[in-house]
Amino acid sequence: MYQQSLVQQAIDSMENAYVPYSKFAVGAAVRTKSGKVYTGCNIENAAYPVSLCAERVAIFKAISNGETEFEEMAVAADTNRPVPPCGSCRQVMSEFFSQDMEIHLTNLNQDIKTFTMEKLLPFSFTPTDLDA
């Protein structure tokens, strides 16, 4: 039940994407342990490096609202296969998501592939590495 609702919210959030350059809209939805869902869309900028991906927007919205414990995420785009997060998003996700948290990747056909954080970014650099 949660998965399908989260996937639909990710798809719906694509409508708010600001993508005048790439025309590649992405949406994301993340559910926190409190049960609240935060959505995000990608936001481009003429200075490309300062653009933000949908996944990071959703995560940062949750964090800026005091939510730091996450349960599940969905990411959607108009692609042939379920859309994978970029490397920068995977690194941010590994900072805040447990290794066994599920991330549902989908497209507009709602082909869904579910991965754990550990499978998306194996042997990731995490905050515990700073404790060495």
Side-chain angles (χ1 to χ4, degrees):
M1 179 175 107
Y2 283 130
Q3 175 188 334
Q4 193 57 40
S5 172
L6 207 60
V7 164
Q8 189 59 55
Q9 289 179 72
I11 291 170
D12 291 346
S13 69
M14 290 172 58
E15 292 180 25
N16 295 322
Y18 178 74
V19 290
Y21 310 107
S22 72
K23 310 289 191 251
F24 185 73
V26 180
V30 64
R31 185 170 51 84
T32 64
K33 288 197 176 188
S34 73
K36 186 159 184 182
V37 173
Y38 293 88
T39 60
C41 58
N42 53 327
I43 303 166
E44 295 179 344
N45 189 283
Y48 296 143
V50 297
S51 297
L52 277 177
C53 298
E55 299 92 325
R56 287 181 282 153
V57 170
I59 293 166
F60 294 161
K61 279 171 68 175
I63 292 167
S64 69
N65 280 284
E67 302 261 16
T68 58
E69 296 183 13
F70 299 93
E71 284 285 322
E72 182 178 31
M73 179 176 237
V75 183
D78 187 6
T79 51
N80 291 329
R81 65 178 182 159
V83 65
C86 74
S88 294
C89 287
R90 291 177 197 216
Q91 181 58 45
V92 169
M93 292 160 74
S94 75
E95 176 89 9
F96 297 103
F97 297 173
S98 67
Q99 290 295 296
D100 62 344
M101 186 175 133
E102 291 186 338
I103 298 100
H104 312 291
L105 310 178
T106 191
N107 57 16
L108 295 184
N109 296 325
Q110 294 197 30
D111 300 324
I112 299 170
K113 288 194 76 111
T114 299
F115 295 90
T116 62
M117 188 64 241
E118 182 177 32
K119 291 288 185 186
L120 276 181
L121 188 61
F123 198 62
S124 62
F125 185 82
T126 66
T128 59
D129 292 308
L130 298 175
D131 297 334

